[in-house]
Amino acid sequence: MSAPDASPSGSGGARDKEPGGEARRLFGEYAADPAFYDEMFDESGVPRPHCRVLWETLDAMPGAEIGAMQERAERSFLREGVTFAVYGEEGAHERIIPIDFLPRILNALEWDFLERGLRQRLTALNLFLADVYGPARILGDGVVPVDLVRGCPQYRIEMRGVEVPHGTYVSVCGTDLVRTHEGFMVLEDNLRVPSGVSYMLANRRAVKTSLRDLFRRYAVRGIEHYGQLLRQTLAELAPPGVSDPCIVLLTPGVYNSAFYEHMFLAREMGVELVEGGDLLVHNGFVYMRTTDGLRRVDVVYRRIDDDFVDPLAFRSDSQLGVPGLFHSYRLGRVTIANAPGTGVADDKSVYYYVPDIIRYYLGEEPLLPNVETHLCRDPRSLEYTLDNLDRLVVKMVGESGGYGMLVGPHSTASERAAYAEQVRANPSNFVSQPTLDLSCAPCLSDDGAVPRHVDLRPFILCGRETRLVPGAFCRVALKPGSLVVNSSQGGGGKDLWVLADQGESAGETAP
Amino acid sequence: MLSRNAQGLYWMSRYLQRAEHGCRLLADQFLSLEDRPVAEIERSWRRIYAGLGRSPLVGDLESGVESEGFMLADAYTLADELSFEPENPDAIRSCVAAARENARQVRTAIGQDMWSCLNVAYLGLRDVRIEDIWNHQPREFYLRTEDALRTFSGIADSTMYRDHGWSFLELGRFVERVQLVAALVDAQVALFPTSEAHAESDWGSLLGVCQARVAFRRLHSFQYGPALVVDFLVSDMRLSHSIRHALERIAEQLRAVASRRESAAGLAAQRRVGRIAARLDYDWPYRDPEDDASTRAVLGEIRDACRLLHADIESAYFSYAIEDSPRP
């Protein structure tokens, strides 16, 4: 095979031939650091059974061909405009999200375990939200401290007593999972407006095209029906009595970092992508302005934060929302998904209690463990945190997207001193965690494959029932050694292949 | 269809029409630069600017220029301004960028193919400078750009679902076309009075810019009589770039979007187009074709009507008041 349309000197990691004319092998100089779990190789440097075929195939490919594939993937992202803006960066709102071309593989056993753990967790979190905004038994029983919940900035007192269809507060959840030598752990639950699913699908499309043969040899499970599942989920959440609901996706607009995703999902679902100005509330019902007059809206999949959803209910200076939307929601005439106030359950100090929350509502042991967390509101934890700043990761409880975070081992003494000031001033606003030994996966670079830290964000949907596609947005820290994978901090993504089997016989079943 | 999407499609289409027109004007201008006398070229720049309702950013055009060198320097600056000048909203690149920005906002209403085509066309233009094309067949550049934009129209034509989205795309295209052709013909008549002895190339090039040269030749051979040319561009129903044809297409799409609701502004739009069309059908043929003032008066009426039509469309479909919507 050859790729005549590729320029050999592009940025896509095309590897030159060695001076002798002998092509370098992709994994020739791959040096896995034993401190981290490697997704492809075991401790002795041998490819894991389900990665063997992938390794063999890629390693035997001429460097120019792999470089050409990487470039083709990047070009298709540019043409299609697969963007994720990094605020404050030059050329901002149209930054193409970086894609790394080498897929990461999970076998059926690994995925089945994750899937069960994710379902369990989301079920418990929805029960928790229904309880917190309802009878508040868990607070009365002292399992989660009252002040922690009621004092959380994401707690919406306006949600007390609101009837939520099927008790589903969180209908779209994006859970961040990491793997260390000890196994998988939940790093964060994203229960407000998680993004990334479109990049999962875009990565798949780009990689599948180029690695067609390999893709066929592995029994990779499909993820392309995500849009259909999302629509089905949202339809199930329509107000009672509405049989053919009109669903819309509410976006803050083209300048939002995830606008590409909003557009993509609206198109996949076949629903209108609306901005606040397109909607209005009249006699308690929500309408959108169409060329045929006003049309009633039943379900709003909003990609706007709680604060901005309705200037009459929340932040009055919001230009993005719809005045009166929340009132209509309280009357049960429209559904807002995710429900306002879900942020109380993904707050970084409530996170500490999620294993207890699972035990409390489901009477089961949590399948997926949390990362060890210290709440600085507790004086002993505060002391521990301040004493070990150089080894810990410290986060603000209400923040997401990697903002306001200190990564101890990668910080300078003066950064730590400044951060310690902030922590002392308001301890309850901070939690600390050990610096995680995030697993590594091979990524393409100018020097062949190199290890980079990765995590994964699967998306779990919940309407009348819970659904998920076997896949995830696999995030990559593109800078050598960096542990920060967040897209808003410049991270990239790679395709994640979930197999229908153990993947060990992929070679033999070649068509 | 969501009003904001309809509006986005309408504007996208207008900008693209404007960009295409700009490409044709400049391609034609570079053709005259090859062999026409300086005075003629200078008048032709004047026609372009008058047709766009602009004056050059550098100030007034020098009149009575004799020197070839000066003319080329002028051409360089003017072509730059009309193609790439960021301060000029009517520059070709500005129009393509504005069209793409609208397309980005309405990507759920257009196909992936349409978006990619326009995106690639824009990316191809984004970093071009006048010095890059000046010494390398500049005319080729304009033809190529026009081609890319027409490919977009072709994809739209062959892939779009014929709902309101299509109608507003067509409305944008033809409302803009009426404006551009009316303004250009008006500028032509003002600069090249029909009674004056004329260079055939002046009127031939007008036909060229309006994609009418071959059709005209088949009807009238090489008789580039000014009155014949004007009449052809204004009233020939079968000519895609004629005003009369564009009005017909506008009327058609106004009926299509009004089929399910009749609003006062929607009806006003239909009546406005009908009145102008009737004026061209019943009055225009009986005017004195040598009377430039009356020709220009009719063109002025058309342009005014078009501006009001635009406002009617805005208030009927894009930003109507709640009371004007059919009872939900």
mmCIF file of all heavy atoms in Angstrom, chain B residues 215-243:
data_model
loop_
_atom_site.group_PDB
_atom_site.id
_atom_site.type_symbol
_atom_site.label_atom_id
_atom_site.label_comp_id
_atom_site.label_asym_id
_atom_site.label_seq_id
_atom_site.Cartn_x
_atom_site.Cartn_y
_atom_site.Cartn_z
ATOM 1 N N ALA B 215 -25.593 33.300 -24.621
ATOM 2 C CA ALA B 215 -27.035 33.338 -24.875
ATOM 3 C C ALA B 215 -27.388 34.573 -25.694
ATOM 4 O O ALA B 215 -28.187 34.512 -26.640
ATOM 5 C CB ALA B 215 -27.791 33.348 -23.550
ATOM 6 N N PHE B 216 -26.757 35.697 -25.360
ATOM 7 C CA PHE B 216 -27.044 36.940 -26.074
ATOM 8 C C PHE B 216 -26.633 36.820 -27.536
ATOM 9 O O PHE B 216 -27.361 37.217 -28.447
ATOM 10 C CB PHE B 216 -26.285 38.096 -25.412
ATOM 11 C CG PHE B 216 -26.605 39.431 -26.006
ATOM 12 C CD1 PHE B 216 -27.695 40.163 -25.555
ATOM 13 C CD2 PHE B 216 -25.823 39.962 -27.043
ATOM 14 C CE1 PHE B 216 -27.993 41.394 -26.113
ATOM 15 C CE2 PHE B 216 -26.126 41.194 -27.602
ATOM 16 C CZ PHE B 216 -27.217 41.916 -27.138
ATOM 17 N N ARG B 217 -25.461 36.239 -27.741
ATOM 18 C CA ARG B 217 -24.952 36.102 -29.099
ATOM 19 C C ARG B 217 -25.893 35.251 -29.948
ATOM 20 O O ARG B 217 -26.111 35.511 -31.115
ATOM 21 C CB ARG B 217 -23.574 35.451 -29.021
ATOM 22 C CG ARG B 217 -22.654 35.859 -30.126
ATOM 23 C CD ARG B 217 -21.256 35.357 -29.869
ATOM 24 N NE ARG B 217 -20.522 36.195 -28.948
ATOM 25 C CZ ARG B 217 -19.403 35.808 -28.316
ATOM 26 N NH1 ARG B 217 -18.919 34.581 -28.492
ATOM 27 N NH2 ARG B 217 -18.777 36.634 -27.517
ATOM 28 N N ARG B 218 -26.430 34.230 -29.346
ATOM 29 C CA ARG B 218 -27.335 33.382 -30.123
ATOM 30 C C ARG B 218 -28.606 34.118 -30.500
ATOM 31 O O ARG B 218 -29.189 33.886 -31.549
ATOM 32 C CB ARG B 218 -27.680 32.120 -29.324
ATOM 33 C CG ARG B 218 -26.565 31.091 -29.450
ATOM 34 C CD ARG B 218 -26.650 30.019 -28.418
ATOM 35 N NE ARG B 218 -27.932 29.306 -28.457
ATOM 36 C CZ ARG B 218 -28.230 28.337 -27.609
ATOM 37 N NH1 ARG B 218 -27.377 27.974 -26.686
ATOM 38 N NH2 ARG B 218 -29.398 27.741 -27.699
ATOM 39 N N LEU B 219 -29.024 35.043 -29.662
ATOM 40 C CA LEU B 219 -30.241 35.795 -29.970
ATOM 41 C C LEU B 219 -29.976 36.957 -30.916
ATOM 42 O O LEU B 219 -30.746 37.235 -31.824
ATOM 43 C CB LEU B 219 -30.845 36.361 -28.682
ATOM 44 C CG LEU B 219 -31.597 35.386 -27.789
ATOM 45 C CD1 LEU B 219 -32.004 36.087 -26.501
ATOM 46 C CD2 LEU B 219 -32.840 34.866 -28.520
ATOM 47 N N HIS B 220 -28.873 37.645 -30.654
ATOM 48 C CA HIS B 220 -28.656 38.915 -31.362
ATOM 49 C C HIS B 220 -27.360 38.950 -32.153
ATOM 50 O O HIS B 220 -26.918 40.016 -32.546
ATOM 51 C CB HIS B 220 -28.640 40.075 -30.365
ATOM 52 C CG HIS B 220 -29.886 40.170 -29.556
ATOM 53 N ND1 HIS B 220 -31.098 40.576 -30.092
ATOM 54 C CD2 HIS B 220 -30.146 39.888 -28.266
ATOM 55 C CE1 HIS B 220 -32.025 40.551 -29.141
ATOM 56 N NE2 HIS B 220 -31.471 40.128 -28.025
ATOM 57 N N SER B 221 -26.734 37.825 -32.338
ATOM 58 C CA SER B 221 -25.440 37.790 -33.001
ATOM 59 C C SER B 221 -24.481 38.745 -32.280
ATOM 60 O O SER B 221 -24.453 38.756 -31.064
ATOM 61 C CB SER B 221 -25.611 38.131 -34.481
ATOM 62 O OG SER B 221 -24.364 38.050 -35.116
ATOM 63 N N PHE B 222 -23.749 39.562 -33.030
ATOM 64 C CA PHE B 222 -22.765 40.429 -32.378
ATOM 65 C C PHE B 222 -23.229 41.877 -32.249
ATOM 66 O O PHE B 222 -22.436 42.784 -32.116
ATOM 67 C CB PHE B 222 -21.418 40.339 -33.100
ATOM 68 C CG PHE B 222 -20.697 39.061 -32.792
ATOM 69 C CD1 PHE B 222 -20.946 37.909 -33.519
ATOM 70 C CD2 PHE B 222 -19.798 38.994 -31.737
ATOM 71 C CE1 PHE B 222 -20.309 36.730 -33.229
ATOM 72 C CE2 PHE B 222 -19.147 37.797 -31.435
ATOM 73 C CZ PHE B 222 -19.404 36.658 -32.180
ATOM 74 N N GLN B 223 -24.534 42.071 -32.276
ATOM 75 C CA GLN B 223 -25.078 43.421 -32.161
ATOM 76 C C GLN B 223 -25.119 43.842 -30.707
ATOM 77 O O GLN B 223 -26.161 43.768 -30.077
ATOM 78 C CB GLN B 223 -26.518 43.425 -32.671
ATOM 79 C CG GLN B 223 -26.722 42.693 -33.969
ATOM 80 C CD GLN B 223 -27.059 43.661 -35.058
ATOM 81 O OE1 GLN B 223 -27.927 44.502 -34.881
ATOM 82 N NE2 GLN B 223 -26.356 43.572 -36.189
ATOM 83 N N TYR B 224 -23.964 44.270 -30.176
ATOM 84 C CA TYR B 224 -23.951 44.643 -28.767
ATOM 85 C C TYR B 224 -24.575 46.015 -28.549
ATOM 86 O O TYR B 224 -23.970 46.891 -27.954
ATOM 87 C CB TYR B 224 -22.524 44.623 -28.219
ATOM 88 C CG TYR B 224 -21.957 43.230 -28.066
ATOM 89 C CD1 TYR B 224 -20.675 42.926 -28.529
ATOM 90 C CD2 TYR B 224 -22.705 42.223 -27.470
ATOM 91 C CE1 TYR B 224 -20.157 41.651 -28.395
ATOM 92 C CE2 TYR B 224 -22.188 40.948 -27.337
ATOM 93 C CZ TYR B 224 -20.915 40.660 -27.797
ATOM 94 O OH TYR B 224 -20.411 39.399 -27.670
ATOM 95 N N GLY B 225 -25.775 46.222 -29.083
ATOM 96 C CA GLY B 225 -26.430 47.500 -28.846
ATOM 97 C C GLY B 225 -26.752 47.643 -27.374
ATOM 98 O O GLY B 225 -27.312 46.717 -26.789
ATOM 99 N N PRO B 226 -26.359 48.778 -26.778
ATOM 100 C CA PRO B 226 -26.571 48.953 -25.336
ATOM 101 C C PRO B 226 -28.007 48.678 -24.903
ATOM 102 O O PRO B 226 -28.233 47.973 -23.914
ATOM 103 C CB PRO B 226 -26.211 50.417 -25.105
ATOM 104 C CG PRO B 226 -25.291 50.761 -26.213
ATOM 105 C CD PRO B 226 -25.702 49.940 -27.390
ATOM 106 N N ALA B 227 -28.966 49.171 -25.636
ATOM 107 C CA ALA B 227 -30.354 49.001 -25.218
ATOM 108 C C ALA B 227 -30.739 47.524 -25.217
ATOM 109 O O ALA B 227 -31.463 47.060 -24.335
ATOM 110 C CB ALA B 227 -31.289 49.791 -26.138
ATOM 111 N N LEU B 228 -30.235 46.807 -26.201
ATOM 112 C CA LEU B 228 -30.526 45.381 -26.265
ATOM 113 C C LEU B 228 -29.936 44.641 -25.057
ATOM 114 O O LEU B 228 -30.573 43.764 -24.477
ATOM 115 C CB LEU B 228 -29.926 44.768 -27.543
ATOM 116 C CG LEU B 228 -30.689 44.945 -28.852
ATOM 117 C CD1 LEU B 228 -29.915 44.285 -29.991
ATOM 118 C CD2 LEU B 228 -32.086 44.345 -28.742
ATOM 119 N N VAL B 229 -28.705 45.027 -24.713
ATOM 120 C CA VAL B 229 -28.034 44.373 -23.591
ATOM 121 C C VAL B 229 -28.799 44.635 -22.287
ATOM 122 O O VAL B 229 -29.084 43.722 -21.507
ATOM 123 C CB VAL B 229 -26.569 44.842 -23.462
ATOM 124 C CG1 VAL B 229 -25.932 44.292 -22.193
ATOM 125 C CG2 VAL B 229 -25.761 44.420 -24.680
ATOM 126 N N VAL B 230 -29.143 45.897 -22.085
ATOM 127 C CA VAL B 230 -29.863 46.258 -20.862
ATOM 128 C C VAL B 230 -31.172 45.484 -20.779
ATOM 129 O O VAL B 230 -31.522 44.893 -19.754
ATOM 130 C CB VAL B 230 -30.130 47.783 -20.808
ATOM 131 C CG1 VAL B 230 -31.103 48.112 -19.680
ATOM 132 C CG2 VAL B 230 -28.821 48.544 -20.638
ATOM 133 N N ASP B 231 -31.884 45.464 -21.883
ATOM 134 C CA ASP B 231 -33.173 44.786 -21.893
ATOM 135 C C ASP B 231 -33.005 43.293 -21.574
ATOM 136 O O ASP B 231 -33.775 42.710 -20.812
ATOM 137 C CB ASP B 231 -33.834 44.957 -23.257
ATOM 138 C CG ASP B 231 -35.235 44.375 -23.237
ATOM 139 O OD1 ASP B 231 -35.995 44.713 -22.311
ATOM 140 O OD2 ASP B 231 -35.547 43.538 -24.113
ATOM 141 N N PHE B 232 -31.972 42.721 -22.165
ATOM 142 C CA PHE B 232 -31.704 41.292 -21.943
ATOM 143 C C PHE B 232 -31.471 41.012 -20.453
ATOM 144 O O PHE B 232 -32.057 40.099 -19.881
ATOM 145 C CB PHE B 232 -30.474 40.900 -22.774
ATOM 146 C CG PHE B 232 -30.261 39.411 -22.890
ATOM 147 C CD1 PHE B 232 -31.276 38.567 -23.329
ATOM 148 C CD2 PHE B 232 -29.026 38.848 -22.590
ATOM 149 C CE1 PHE B 232 -31.064 37.200 -23.455
ATOM 150 C CE2 PHE B 232 -28.803 37.482 -22.706
ATOM 151 C CZ PHE B 232 -29.830 36.652 -23.138
ATOM 152 N N LEU B 233 -30.616 41.814 -19.833
ATOM 153 C CA LEU B 233 -30.245 41.577 -18.426
ATOM 154 C C LEU B 233 -31.379 41.900 -17.456
ATOM 155 O O LEU B 233 -31.420 41.378 -16.356
ATOM 156 C CB LEU B 233 -29.001 42.391 -18.053
ATOM 157 C CG LEU B 233 -27.718 42.000 -18.789
ATOM 158 C CD1 LEU B 233 -26.560 42.892 -18.370
ATOM 159 C CD2 LEU B 233 -27.375 40.535 -18.543
ATOM 160 N N VAL B 234 -32.267 42.788 -17.886
ATOM 161 C CA VAL B 234 -33.350 43.152 -16.967
ATOM 162 C C VAL B 234 -34.554 42.229 -17.132
ATOM 163 O O VAL B 234 -35.102 41.733 -16.156
ATOM 164 C CB VAL B 234 -33.775 44.627 -17.190
ATOM 165 C CG1 VAL B 234 -35.047 44.949 -16.404
ATOM 166 C CG2 VAL B 234 -32.646 45.562 -16.763
ATOM 167 N N SER B 235 -34.952 41.971 -18.372
ATOM 168 C CA SER B 235 -36.302 41.419 -18.527
ATOM 169 C C SER B 235 -36.395 40.029 -19.131
ATOM 170 O O SER B 235 -37.475 39.489 -19.247
ATOM 171 C CB SER B 235 -37.140 42.382 -19.344
ATOM 172 O OG SER B 235 -36.706 42.329 -20.697
ATOM 173 N N ASP B 236 -35.268 39.425 -19.536
ATOM 174 C CA ASP B 236 -35.411 38.116 -20.174
ATOM 175 C C ASP B 236 -35.618 37.020 -19.132
ATOM 176 O O ASP B 236 -34.723 36.704 -18.341
ATOM 177 C CB ASP B 236 -34.205 37.785 -21.052
ATOM 178 C CG ASP B 236 -34.508 36.597 -21.963
ATOM 179 O OD1 ASP B 236 -34.822 35.512 -21.429
ATOM 180 O OD2 ASP B 236 -34.454 36.761 -23.187
ATOM 181 N N MET B 237 -36.793 36.451 -19.154
ATOM 182 C CA MET B 237 -37.175 35.456 -18.144
ATOM 183 C C MET B 237 -36.299 34.218 -18.182
ATOM 184 O O MET B 237 -36.132 33.530 -17.183
ATOM 185 C CB MET B 237 -38.634 35.063 -18.400
ATOM 186 C CG MET B 237 -39.210 34.120 -17.401
ATOM 187 S SD MET B 237 -39.526 34.947 -15.845
ATOM 188 C CE MET B 237 -41.250 35.361 -16.086
ATOM 189 N N ARG B 238 -35.722 33.928 -19.350
ATOM 190 C CA ARG B 238 -35.000 32.658 -19.476
ATOM 191 C C ARG B 238 -33.529 32.767 -19.089
ATOM 192 O O ARG B 238 -32.815 31.785 -19.063
ATOM 193 C CB ARG B 238 -35.119 32.140 -20.921
ATOM 194 C CG ARG B 238 -36.539 31.715 -21.270
ATOM 195 C CD ARG B 238 -36.718 31.600 -22.762
ATOM 196 N NE ARG B 238 -36.475 32.892 -23.413
ATOM 197 C CZ ARG B 238 -36.565 33.097 -24.715
ATOM 198 N NH1 ARG B 238 -36.858 32.094 -25.521
ATOM 199 N NH2 ARG B 238 -36.344 34.288 -25.224
ATOM 200 N N LEU B 239 -33.081 33.980 -18.818
ATOM 201 C CA LEU B 239 -31.673 34.179 -18.484
ATOM 202 C C LEU B 239 -31.497 34.103 -16.958
ATOM 203 O O LEU B 239 -32.070 34.904 -16.205
ATOM 204 C CB LEU B 239 -31.206 35.543 -18.977
ATOM 205 C CG LEU B 239 -29.756 35.887 -18.636
ATOM 206 C CD1 LEU B 239 -28.795 35.036 -19.468
ATOM 207 C CD2 LEU B 239 -29.499 37.363 -18.871
ATOM 208 N N SER B 240 -30.698 33.150 -16.512
ATOM 209 C CA SER B 240 -30.577 32.904 -15.078
ATOM 210 C C SER B 240 -30.133 34.146 -14.296
ATOM 211 O O SER B 240 -30.527 34.344 -13.152
ATOM 212 C CB SER B 240 -29.594 31.759 -14.849
ATOM 213 O OG SER B 240 -29.261 31.681 -13.505
ATOM 214 N N HIS B 241 -29.299 34.982 -14.904
ATOM 215 C CA HIS B 241 -28.838 36.165 -14.185
ATOM 216 C C HIS B 241 -29.663 37.411 -14.469
ATOM 217 O O HIS B 241 -29.248 38.508 -14.115
ATOM 218 C CB HIS B 241 -27.360 36.432 -14.494
ATOM 219 C CG HIS B 241 -26.450 35.675 -13.556
ATOM 220 N ND1 HIS B 241 -26.297 34.321 -13.626
ATOM 221 C CD2 HIS B 241 -25.692 36.082 -12.503
ATOM 222 C CE1 HIS B 241 -25.461 33.928 -12.680
ATOM 223 N NE2 HIS B 241 -25.085 34.973 -11.979
ATOM 224 N N SER B 242 -30.823 37.257 -15.130
ATOM 225 C CA SER B 242 -31.621 38.463 -15.361
ATOM 226 C C SER B 242 -32.452 38.768 -14.122
ATOM 227 O O SER B 242 -32.745 37.888 -13.303
ATOM 228 C CB SER B 242 -32.556 38.280 -16.558
ATOM 229 O OG SER B 242 -33.723 37.581 -16.167
ATOM 230 N N ILE B 243 -32.799 40.033 -13.997
ATOM 231 C CA ILE B 243 -33.593 40.463 -12.851
ATOM 232 C C ILE B 243 -34.967 39.796 -12.871
ATOM 233 O O ILE B 243 -35.460 39.316 -11.853
ATOM 234 C CB ILE B 243 -33.729 42.005 -12.870
ATOM 235 C CG1 ILE B 243 -32.355 42.621 -12.583
ATOM 236 C CG2 ILE B 243 -34.774 42.476 -11.876
ATOM 237 C CD1 ILE B 243 -32.293 44.124 -12.756
#
